[in-house]
Amino acid sequence: MEEIDHLVADISEPRCDGRNFNQIRPVNFEIGYTEYADGSVLASFGKTRVLCTICITEGVPDWMKRDHVPGGWLTAEYSMLPSSTNVRKPRDSGKPDGRSIEIRRLIGRSLRAAIDLNKLPPMTLYADCDVIQADGGTRTCAITGSYVALKVAIDKLASRILLPDDLLLGAVSAVSVGMVEGRTLLDLCYSEDHNADVDMNVAMTDKGEFIEVQSTAENRTFSKAAFQSLLGLAEGGCKQLFALQKNALESNKR
Amino acid sequence: MEEIDHLVADISEPRCDGRNFNQIRPVNFEIGYTEYADGSVLASFGKTRVLCTICITEGVPDWMKRDHVPGGWLTAEYSMLPSSTNVRKPRDSGKPDGRSIEIRRLIGRSLRAAIDLNKLPPMTLYADCDVIQADGGTRTCAITGSYVALKVAIDKLASRILLPDDLLLGAVSAVSVGMVEGRTLLDLCYSEDHNADVDMNVAMTDKGEFIEVQSTAENRTFSKAAFQSLLGLAEGGCKQLFALQKNALESNKR
Amino acid sequence: MEEIDHLVADISEPRCDGRNFNQIRPVNFEIGYTEYADGSVLASFGKTRVLCTICITEGVPDWMKRDHVPGGWLTAEYSMLPSSTNVRKPRDSGKPDGRSIEIRRLIGRSLRAAIDLNKLPPMTLYADCDVIQADGGTRTCAITGSYVALKVAIDKLASRILLPDDLLLGAVSAVSVGMVEGRTLLDLCYSEDHNADVDMNVAMTDKGEFIEVQSTAENRTFSKAAFQSLLGLAEGGCKQLFALQKNALESNKR
Amino acid sequence: MEEIDHLVADISEPRCDGRNFNQIRPVNFEIGYTEYADGSVLASFGKTRVLCTICITEGVPDWMKRDHVPGGWLTAEYSMLPSSTNVRKPRDSGKPDGRSIEIRRLIGRSLRAAIDLNKLPPMTLYADCDVIQADGGTRTCAITGSYVALKVAIDKLASRILLPDDLLLGAVSAVSVGMVEGRTLLDLCYSEDHNADVDMNVAMTDKGEFIEVQSTAENRTFSKAAFQSLLGLAEGGCKQLFALQKNALESNKR
Amino acid sequence: MEEIDHLVADISEPRCDGRNFNQIRPVNFEIGYTEYADGSVLASFGKTRVLCTICITEGVPDWMKRDHVPGGWLTAEYSMLPSSTNVRKPRDSGKPDGRSIEIRRLIGRSLRAAIDLNKLPPMTLYADCDVIQADGGTRTCAITGSYVALKVAIDKLASRILLPDDLLLGAVSAVSVGMVEGRTLLDLCYSEDHNADVDMNVAMTDKGEFIEVQSTAENRTFSKAAFQSLLGLAEGGCKQLFALQKNALESNKR
Amino acid sequence: MEEIDHLVADISEPRCDGRNFNQIRPVNFEIGYTEYADGSVLASFGKTRVLCTICITEGVPDWMKRDHVPGGWLTAEYSMLPSSTNVRKPRDSGKPDGRSIEIRRLIGRSLRAAIDLNKLPPMTLYADCDVIQADGGTRTCAITGSYVALKVAIDKLASRILLPDDLLLGAVSAVSVGMVEGRTLLDLCYSEDHNADVDMNVAMTDKGEFIEVQSTAENRTFSKAAFQSLLGLAEGGCKQLFALQKNALESNKR
């Protein structure tokens, strides 16, 4: 493993798909893509498309009842359609694989940072993230799209029952960054992700706070300086995503 | 269980969604909905939407190798997204449930009637049918849409390797019919299906031959006369679907 | 797939085991074969032997309780002993295979047509169908034998508690028919079933109504005319089985 | 737990079913009960009935191939039909339960003592023991009946291929004994087994050697003297079973 | 299979590790090895090391509640660390294997003979036996060490709540014996166990009563005389173990 | 969720166990704790104890063979003994839970950063981390202890076969840091971890490079400034651990 101490590459050179190093892919949130879920958003980051839905169900998990935890709960599930990847991915037989479980837990924690569960009635919110097409960044697309679905679902719920104003704590978005052939890049597509030496996923709130920072060396270890660069890049990406989430939600109201 | 001997209801009375008893719902085939599968079609029968894909992989199942069966194979999988139904449907943990397994087998048999597997190179075609939204008739929508995806996939394959002209044997479509409150109805939506006394799924070839006839009494048994009426209604429905499949495939070529 | 439009073969030619095309195999119902179940019948269709038992247990499934469905329930299980087939069949590890699940569901639906579950006390009837020897037609033998066991079990229950007279709605039987080398045949044995182009299972009531019609093209598709011939043959077969069920039940009373 | 040091009860008092303390139940071996397995015996010890079959298949388990172990293999499976017990026993979902696994292993080891596996061609013998009706002693009935099926299967195999004369090492039988309300009893039926303080299963060869001795205190521990009494009783029981096996096999030849 | 009728070998010849035929390996009980369990003992028989813990939890199994069985319960689990064996043993995926299940049941029955469960409050005692290093005799080491942990746990419980004096019925220990190359040996290490013709595990109480005697012919069957020799050897081994258990418990009090 | 913008708490105040905020717990590496694995270390961080072993096996995973990936592989497993936690933790039935899977993947990635797998012969190294006692930081203790076991195992392997000098790339250690009641703390014990608002695990190389940074908001989100403080604290902790690993390995050589 070589170490990456400084960033020698020319970061202004465009990427395979023409983007700058600090540009996210075209993002879209198709609100109301399906109609049975309480919130439903087809989120896309470039070619990556994830159907993000929120289904609100009565009751809370057994562990909350047993431990008398007040409020509600939010849990996430994540799965890839077999046809979503370049080479067909067999369906999970039995439990989901390790990678899926990690991602489910990440999405769940990130979304729970957007909502004050203590103030929720005894309900369970299921965030289902089903990947329709995977071109890198499915977990960050899932988090970012699910927040939009969550906002829609809570607004809908608020039209039926009385909910506290501060139930939602703010928006949540997530983006990947990575070190690819010596360059720091924002929002990796699959081919970039595949070649990344360092891979980092960051989930933030729209107040600039962090929820999760997960940084993993794939081929090389990384220096503190590299880490800081990546973190800054991710902050910029999340800021862009917050604006796009806001736009989509406002267009939906009209 | 009461018996249904004759059909007293006025069959010209329109249905809840305004259709006539012998009308199918608005049908659409969005070809190329995703881009990694060899054939990809988002098929919709009214509100029912199924993503039908064909992925072609090298090699055949072990049982074909062991028994020296020549040619290729086609197998189908069917699954519903948790958010596709009115009340969230938990994901399969472990193997798919009995209903899904029955449907997988039905789709597989129906599609295998469309292709002369002996003439296929040693390949396995996966027909993945993932239900995005379920409003009745998901299995017939899946069969009908998958045939379109199969045609696209085989045409694409034929542009890469030499295939016999008569590899595809003709189009395949499927439709549901049922007896609801004394009336025979074509292409049931969920609320009709839910109230049906008799439920029947029919898969046919565009030459007017039958592949599968599955008729089940849910609340009442049914007479031979009722059975014949339903069968005739299904024949008419499949005819309409063949025309729509053809149109979609021709539009796609242009 | 060739089409079968008309039936050219001489249907009077005897079959490998000497039967006419419209003859069922020797049928036997050994009532009381085991003594712990509420009803127990060793049913045989030729060499095919299925142990059909009805066990009555207190209580109903959770979904009935949750949805406040009144009455009782009947569910069926089907399994083949490993030694029942010509080549040893490994035991199910984990859930039963797709074929077994389909058959369980078919048996359950067919038997539920014989009984007015709303009038049953909150009990669950288990119909266990265990194949001792398999020579084709195991599912139809299971349905036909299980009805006999059901009648015995309900009569026995009626001697202990008060039950409405019209709890049982009539007898149920089932038979297979098929198209083999251009001939329509009733009650296929394994070698005939194996070579069948079209395979059809029909379950009926003794009032001449249908419960299930499942018709599947194995190698060729089939015309409407062929379908009608097969259906008529099945009706005749079921009629013979109703007489044999009745005889067995009457002999048992004496 | 009280200790049982001496046997005070009057051992000549008859049992609930009229037997003496040292009498086995009526035993029967119905050879050729089914016809597809290489050996098939419906064995009964009183009301206990077990279908014992031997299926011979080509090839040996992977571990024998990997470790270059010469000869063949014999493995046993054991299962109870749901309707075999007084209260319906749910089918195994997933792996068999602990008790079934113990019994499978016991049957396998006992039968392997009857055959010199080194001298067997590279084949695997499956001994399937399916309990049709369970009234205590199912595992000993299974071992004793399976030996008869094994002898039939090997004789049949010997008529097709050349086998060494000394492939079979002798007969194997098994019987249960127990301490019930202070009395030592041979071949316990269910109600006796249920009340036994000590439960012991013994498998022997017809040369008077032991294969397995499994003795378990259920409610009380037991003294060495009690143990010796039980062992003697079991020896006597096995001797009776060897004679019955021999008779059945000789009648079958005629 | 040869028979072992008499014991011709010179039983005074020392074993590979210098022991006499009737000597157990160096035994140690490290009480309080971990601190969260109610009783915790690292037991070693030579190189074999098993961590034996007793965890006391509130409540009893469902079957005791349903059948209104008074008192408490004790259940045992047994597992080997992957690195405990000479060749790495893969972790159980899914249920434990057949051997582990047999051993769990044996440990549970043996420990339940040490305690009058009727006199226990409605609690469940978990005996967890995790093998740190395996050199033969892991099940007997587990039983013997778990009794020590059980005594510690009950004494600790007695300091918190009032328990009847005669809750514990006496000490329990277990040892293996075997016939190896014609010699009867006590407390087999792995290499001896691997070569044993007869393998026997005996669990006893400190009053000289037997709880379990499990004797299995691995390569040869065994005579009654051989059986008696082995049983006597095991009795001597258990006596030695009772003294060592007592010492360890007394040292711990000081 | 409140935000933590600055760190107001007095960081010099000692912790419940007397440590300073930037002190690790007493650390110990008992090399050669078991003797069958190629490397075996009982690692302890305070009361947390993890048995870390490396078992070297011939061959590589199937995916490496299929994709012709040169070199060897290292994979990690992690499991907690049921008795390791304050409240007994039931054993995994079926696959390990989500948390265990995440930790397995983390340990594997961290250790693979210590070794140039391309230069390893076609072998698979299993790092088994079995938690004997859990008082927080089990995953970081596992990584740090496993590196020591890895070094021992590779040195042992190098004494048998020729290995390149630069096979090992340097030491790897890991430590947890967290924000507890407004204070940044190094190497959290369970009670601290339980109350942490932010929880962060960092794995590093002895060259000061990062392998993994996983930072998770449990109750509050965290600012960039807080994140930087935690990262610095972790760097200091890893430095201390590298020194302790080195000492342990040197003492072992002597």
Side-chain angles (χ1 to χ4, degrees), chain F residues 82-116:
Chain F
S83 61
S84 66
T85 47
N86 225 313
V87 174
R88 185 180 181 273
K89 183 182 175 294
R91 275 168 219 274
D92 292 326
S93 67
K95 283 201 195 170
D97 60 23
R99 177 184 167 278
S100 290
I101 288 174
E102 268 191 34
I103 295 178
R104 287 179 179 203
R105 288 161 57 91
L106 170 64
I107 299 172
R109 286 191 307 259
S110 297
L111 291 178
R112 286 194 291 272
I115 185 166
D116 190 340

Side-chain angles (χ1 to χ4, degrees), chain D residues 23-168:
Chain D
Q23 246 184 316
I24 56 174
R25 291 175 284 181
V27 167
N28 193 47
F29 304 107
E30 186 172 345
I31 297 176
Y33 180 73
T34 58
E35 64 185 76
Y36 297 142
D38 295 284
S40 168
V41 171
L42 182 65
S44 49
F45 279 22
K47 286 187 180 181
T48 290
R49 267 188 279 165
V50 183
L51 177 53
C52 306
T53 57
I54 300 286
C55 296
I56 303 178
T57 63
E58 292 297 313
V60 291
D62 286 345
W63 64 264
M64 285 181 72
K65 286 183 216 156
R66 198 188 51 224
D67 298 353
H68 303 292
V69 178
W73 186 241
L74 182 152
T75 187
E77 299 198 353
Y78 167 97
S79 189
M80 299 177 86
L81 293 194
S83 62
S84 65
T85 47
N86 225 314
V87 174
R88 184 180 183 274
K89 182 181 175 293
R91 273 168 219 276
D92 292 326
S93 65
K95 285 201 192 168
D97 58 24
R99 177 184 167 276
S100 291
I101 288 174
E102 268 191 35
I103 295 177
R104 288 181 177 199
R105 289 160 58 90
L106 169 66
I107 299 172
R109 285 192 307 259
S110 297
L111 291 177
R112 285 194 291 272
I115 185 165
D116 189 341
L117 292 170
N118 289 317
K119 294 184 178 154
L120 194 69
M123 294 170 159
T124 297
L125 277 56
Y126 285 91
D128 286 293
C129 301
D130 288 276
V131 178
I132 303 292
Q133 193 159 275
D135 185 32
T138 58
R139 78 189 72 184
T140 52
C141 179
I143 291 168
T144 310
S146 290
Y147 169 73
V148 178
L150 177 64
K151 177 77 173 104
V152 169
I154 292 297
D155 284 355
K156 191 173 152 192
L157 183 65
S159 69
R160 287 195 290 121
I161 66 169
L162 190 69
L163 291 174
D165 281 349
D166 53 354
L167 179 63
L168 289 182

